[in-house]
Amino acid sequence: MLYGTLWAILVLFKLPHLTCNMRCPDSCLCNSNGNVDCVGDNITDIPKQLPLQTYRLQLNETNMHILNEQSLANRTLLLRFLLTHSQLHTIHPRAFHVAPQLKSVKLSCNNLSALSAQVFSPLTTLQQLSLDGNQLKTIAPDMFEGLVWLQQLDLSSNSLSSLASDVFDGLTNLTFLHLGMNSIKKFPPTIFHGLTNLRQLIIYYNKLEVLDAGMFDDLVNLVELKIHFNKITSLPPQVFWSLRNLEQLTLSSNQLQAIPEKSFYNMPKLSTLTISNNPLLSLPDQLMGHMPDIIELYLYYTNLTAVPGNLFANMSGLQRINLHFNNKLRELPSDLFCCVPKLMKLSLKSNNLHYLHPQLFSNNIFLGLEHVLAINLMNNHLKTLPGNIFLSNTVLGALTLSGNPWNCVCSIRGIAKWIRDNERVVRDRDRVICDSPVNRLHQTVGSLSDELFNVCDATRIRSRYFSTQEPTTHIMSTSRQTSALASTTTPPTTISTTIQLAPQQIPRYSQTWNLRFMGVILRYGKIMKYLISYNQVIQYVTLSQAKPILPLVCS
Ligand SMILES: *[C@@H]1O[C@H](CO)[C@@H](O)[C@H](O)[C@H]1NC(C)=O
Ligand SMILES: *[C@@H]1O[C@H](CO)[C@@H](O)[C@H](O)[C@H]1NC(C)=O
Ligand SMILES: *[C@@H]1O[C@H](CO)[C@@H](O)[C@H](O)[C@H]1NC(C)=O
Ligand SMILES: *[C@@H]1O[C@H](CO)[C@@H](O)[C@H](O)[C@H]1NC(C)=O
Ligand SMILES: *[C@@H]1O[C@H](CO)[C@@H](O)[C@H](O)[C@H]1NC(C)=O
Ligand SMILES: *[C@@H]1O[C@H](CO)[C@@H](O)[C@H](O)[C@H]1NC(C)=O
Ligand SMILES: CC(=O)N[C@H]1CO[C@H](CO)[C@@H](O)[C@@H]1O
């Protein structure tokens, strides 16, 4: 009885495997779910001896060159057919007539340079078609005609230079369309019309020069639009206005010098916006519509000299602002960071900031934001900071201060103490080095003990303010050039509320100094042009869009 039961269990569990394995070809693995995976050069056609119940067949890295008229014959249960990383260059015009039931066809990474017209038309219930990683130069206008169930179409990494305006007509079920990494210069204005279910549209790494007004008008369900790495020089006004469900938009690495007013209106769900690496010269005063879900903005490598004061006014959810490497950006409006209470990361690194409005760092950014985790101030011309400037940033975990010409006189006392007290926060403390006066040259700011400054107390009593006359010119050299900076006479530091400077004491850049800021002056100078090259520690900077890291060619 017991043996009988055991035997029955054995039969029940073993038999399907046995049947499968018996008919599983040498180079293949067959499992009981109907999956067959075959790999290897030995495969030159679809193996004849496959398990009857094969639902999914994947042939990878084979030596198959041709898909014949009969290659898929007698496989009436097959639903998914994958032939990838092989040498396939020819598909017989009737190859799919014998397998009209297929739901998925993936022919990625082969050597297809042409497809006969209507080769896929028997596949009336096809849901997924991948032709990425081939050499296709053209697609016949009726290639996908009748594939009304198609949901995913991947034509990326081919050699397409243009597409017919009606090539996607009728594909109303399409949710995913990948046309990236081709050589497309222009899309016909109506090519995406009717694709009302599309959720992802990827057209990056092409040669697009223009986008047409209205081209995205039907894409009301689009969630992701990736247009980066093209050559787009201008955007039509309101081109994105129908994309009310969009969450991600990448426009980086194009040739945009300007963005039309209100371009990003009507996108209440946007969470990531990437417009970096464009030669932008200015931004309009009205650019961002109400987008409470925005988390991340990438705005670096531009030619902006200024940004509108209300740039972030509609972006209250911002957690990360990447506003760096804008080597012409001289100034930030005082209210810029007024409305970003969730900010966690702010990078202002390697801009051309000469002057920061005190308000930027008083009631607003550093003082109000308990959530700031990382602040990066390296490579500016900061000479001092108030000792209490980071006092309210209780969770600050990483602060970068190197690459600034710290002036290690009385006014540095407070921040020097703060650096000592917060050693682990100042990640680059060993490189936060005195640039003046001469007797403290090359000492780290953090190494200056409090006693060194005892003399300062005496000075304060003597005079309402004390002037720290410093060398007037700094020579900074880089591997490429030596450059004498304009006069950087240190401003007098004060503990009183206001002070008048003799006109000749006011350096050119600093006419609007507000001397009331916590009794200490924030002074930013010109950034050295080539300092970018030796920024090896890029801890808070996200460069993902700046480096042309090509995605894997085939999925
Ligand atoms: C490929 O075929 C040769 C002979 O035709 C055989 O010796 C070899 O084992 C086969 N390799 C695989 C991986 O099946
Ligand atoms: C197919 O081959 C490619 C290239 O060698 C490999 O990266 C991929 O993982 C393989 N896919 C499967 C499902 O085995
Ligand atoms: C398909 O099955 C038919 C009838 O069973 C047989 O004549 C034919 O040779 C088979 N074709 C292939 C390619 O196996
Ligand atoms: C790909 O096909 C072309 C002809 O279309 C041929 O010249 C080339 O050798 C093929 N490459 C491989 C790797 O099979
Ligand atoms: C903020 O968004 C609203 C609604 O989209 C708009 O009316 C307003 O002009 C926007 N503000 C700015 C500064 O663009
Ligand atoms: C942007 O700046 C770079 C150098 O900083 C310059 O080569 C380029 O011509 C500028 N582009 C525009 C549009 O001004
Ligand atoms: C999810 C979806 O849109 N399905 C549609 C796919 O296309 C067929 C035929 O046009 C429609 O009937 C389905 O509703």
Side-chain angles (χ1 to χ4, degrees):
M1 187 58 195
L2 186 63
Y3 280 99
T5 313
L6 274 179
W7 177 241
I9 290 170
L10 267 178
V11 169
L12 269 173
F13 283 89
K14 267 307 199 204
L15 211 54
H17 291 271
L18 287 175
T19 347
C20 283
N21 289 339
M22 269 164 33
R23 306 197 57 185
C24 196
D26 275 354
S27 317
C28 304
L29 273 173
C30 308
N31 81 6
S32 54
N33 295 331
N35 273 324
V36 177
D37 281 296
C38 309
V39 181
D41 281 350
N42 280 16
I43 300 165
T44 54
D45 201 353
I46 295 178
K48 292 278 170 290
Q49 296 251 305
L50 289 175
L52 266 178
Q53 306 204 320
T54 300
Y55 303 119
R56 181 183 177 279
L57 171 62
Q58 164 146 23
L59 310 169
N60 199 12
E61 297 185 70
T62 71
N63 205 9
M64 266 188 80
H65 292 255
I66 300 173
L67 198 59
N68 277 315
E69 190 174 3
Q70 290 299 311
S71 296
L72 288 161
N74 296 348
R75 301 266 147 239
T76 51
L77 294 177
L78 191 65
L79 294 178
R80 309 198 175 274
F81 173 61
L82 302 86
L83 168 54
T84 52
H85 294 276
S86 296
Q87 322 285 324
L88 187 69
H89 56 69
T90 304
I91 302 178
H92 190 281
R94 298 180 58 81
F96 293 109
H97 279 247
V98 292
Q101 79 287 353
L102 285 172
K103 298 258 180 280
S104 169
V105 171
K106 192 170 163 86
L107 303 171
S108 311
C109 299
N110 278 293
N111 197 15
L112 295 167
S113 55
L115 294 169
S116 44
Q118 300 186 336
V119 65
F120 302 115
S121 54
L123 306 174
T124 51
T125 58
L126 194 68
Q127 293 173 357
Q128 192 181 30
L129 177 60
S130 302
L131 295 166
D132 54 299
N134 281 286
Q135 326 278 329
L136 297 172
K137 290 188 182 63
T138 55
I139 299 282
D142 55 354
M143 180 64 69
F144 311 119
E145 200 176 293
L147 307 187
V148 293
W149 293 100
L150 200 62
Q151 292 171 6
Q152 298 181 15
L153 177 57
D154 192 343
L155 294 170
S156 62
S157 301
N158 277 287
S159 306
L160 301 171
S161 56
S162 65
L163 287 169
S165 66
D166 55 350
V167 67
F168 306 128
D169 274 11
L171 304 186
T172 50
N173 274 354
L174 209 60
T175 58
F176 173 87
L177 178 58
H178 195 341
L179 301 170
M181 292 174 280
N182 279 289
S183 302
I184 301 169
K185 280 206 171 103
K186 187 179 188 308
F187 284 115
T190 57
I191 189 167
F192 304 124
H193 284 194
L195 305 183
T196 49
N197 280 312
L198 203 61
R199 294 175 63 82
Q200 283 168 287
L201 176 60
I202 304 173
I203 53 181
Y204 58 39
Y205 294 95
N206 273 292
K207 294 182 175 160
L208 296 173
E209 286 165 8
V210 289
L211 298 176
D212 278 291
M215 70 187 298
F216 304 127
D217 275 5
D218 283 357
L219 309 184
V220 291
N221 285 303
L222 204 66
V223 171
E224 195 177 305
L225 178 57
K226 298 198 163 169
I227 319 185
H228 55 275
F229 278 101
N230 276 289
K231 299 183 187 311
I232 298 168
T233 52
S234 67
L235 296 174
Q238 308 180 6
V239 67
F240 306 122
W241 274 30
S242 298
L243 309 179
R244 54 176 178 267
N245 283 300
L246 203 66
E247 291 172 18
Q248 281 191 43
L249 175 59
T250 63
L251 283 167
S252 45
S253 302
N254 276 290
Q255 299 296 325
L256 294 170
Q257 291 193 15
I259 298 180
E261 199 178 62
K262 304 183 182 176
S263 280
F264 307 118
Y265 275 33
N266 298 341
M267 295 184 188
K269 297 191 177 168
L270 205 65
S271 67
T272 307
L273 176 61
T274 305
I275 40 187
S276 45
N277 203 18
N278 277 292
L280 289 169
L281 296 172
S282 67
L283 294 175
D285 277 339
Q286 288 186 304
L287 182 60
M288 308 291 179
H290 187 57
M291 44 177 92
D293 295 338
I294 188 86
I295 291 173
E296 193 147 24
L297 174 71
Y298 292 89
L299 184 59
Y300 56 83
Y301 285 130
T302 72
N303 285 2
L304 289 173
T305 51
V307 293
N310 60 9
L311 183 61
F312 308 130
N314 269 333
M315 306 176 102
S316 58
L318 272 177
Q319 293 177 15
R320 292 181 286 276
I321 297 178
N322 301 283
L323 184 65
H324 45 242
F325 294 125
N326 295 299
N327 65 5
K328 295 182 176 141
L329 185 63
R330 287 177 65 106
E331 225 175 278
L332 297 175
S334 61
D335 290 337
L336 187 61
F337 302 111
C338 71
C339 318
V340 282
K342 297 183 183 164
L343 195 64
M344 293 172 79
K345 174 190 151 182
L346 171 68
S347 181
L348 296 173
K349 176 168 128 170
S350 293
N351 290 310
N352 189 21
L353 297 174
H354 290 50
Y355 166 75
L356 287 187
H357 195 285
Q359 199 177 332
L360 201 59
F361 289 87
S362 58
N363 291 327
N364 302 311
I365 195 148
F366 291 162
L367 210 62
L369 302 174
E370 295 94 31
H371 303 303
V372 174
L373 292 172
I375 297 174
N376 187 335
L377 292 171
M378 72 199 285
N379 291 355
N380 280 287
H381 255 214
L382 204 56
K383 285 173 159 278
T384 191
L385 282 174
N388 58 0
I389 189 167
F390 303 114
L391 220 58
S392 69
N393 310 126
T394 46
V395 295
L396 185 62
L399 173 68
T400 326
L401 296 172
S402 58
N404 287 291
W406 299 105
N407 181 21
C408 296
V409 295
C410 291
S411 59
I412 205 89
R413 183 184 197 170
I415 194 72
K417 180 171 189 316
W418 191 89
I419 291 173
R420 279 194 309 278
D421 293 348
N422 296 274
E423 270 198 341
R424 275 183 305 183
V425 176
V426 189
R427 299 290 170 88
D428 59 347
R429 63 185 174 279
D430 294 340
R431 284 176 286 125
V432 183
I433 291 170
C434 302
D435 190 62
S436 56
V438 181
N439 62 328
R440 294 197 178 135
L441 217 56
H442 306 315
Q443 293 188 37
T444 61
V445 174
S447 71
L448 305 173
S449 72
D450 210 46
E451 289 73 49
L452 280 177
F453 297 104
N454 283 344
V455 59
C456 298
D457 301 330
T459 317
R460 193 184 300 169
I461 295 160
R462 250 201 344 261
S463 149
R464 276 194 71 206
Y465 65 89
F466 45 90
S467 178
T468 55
Q469 301 303 330
E470 298 294 338
T472 53
T473 305
H474 298 268
I475 308 291
M476 297 188 97
S477 69
T478 68
S479 53
R480 298 228 221 146
Q481 76 167 46
T482 300
S483 149
L485 289 182
S487 164
T488 53
T489 304
T490 308
T493 316
T494 178
I495 51 161
S496 67
T497 50
T498 50
I499 193 165
Q500 294 300 317
L501 289 177
Q504 68 271 19
Q505 282 182 279
I506 303 176
R508 199 158 46 88
Y509 306 132
S510 315
Q511 276 132 23
T512 47
W513 281 358
N514 182 334
L515 302 180
R516 279 172 293 159
F517 175 52
M518 292 188 204
V520 184
I521 296 156
L522 270 179
R523 167 87 164 83
Y524 284 69
K526 194 172 160 56
I527 292 167
M528 297 293 294
K529 215 168 184 175
Y530 295 105
L531 292 185
I532 293 168
S533 60
Y534 68 68
N535 294 337
Q536 287 155 16
V537 187
I538 307 179
Q539 291 174 45
Y540 322 113
V541 184
T542 309
L543 285 173
S544 57
Q545 299 301 327
K547 287 187 204 157
I549 305 170
L550 282 165
L552 279 179
V553 175
C554 300
S555 43

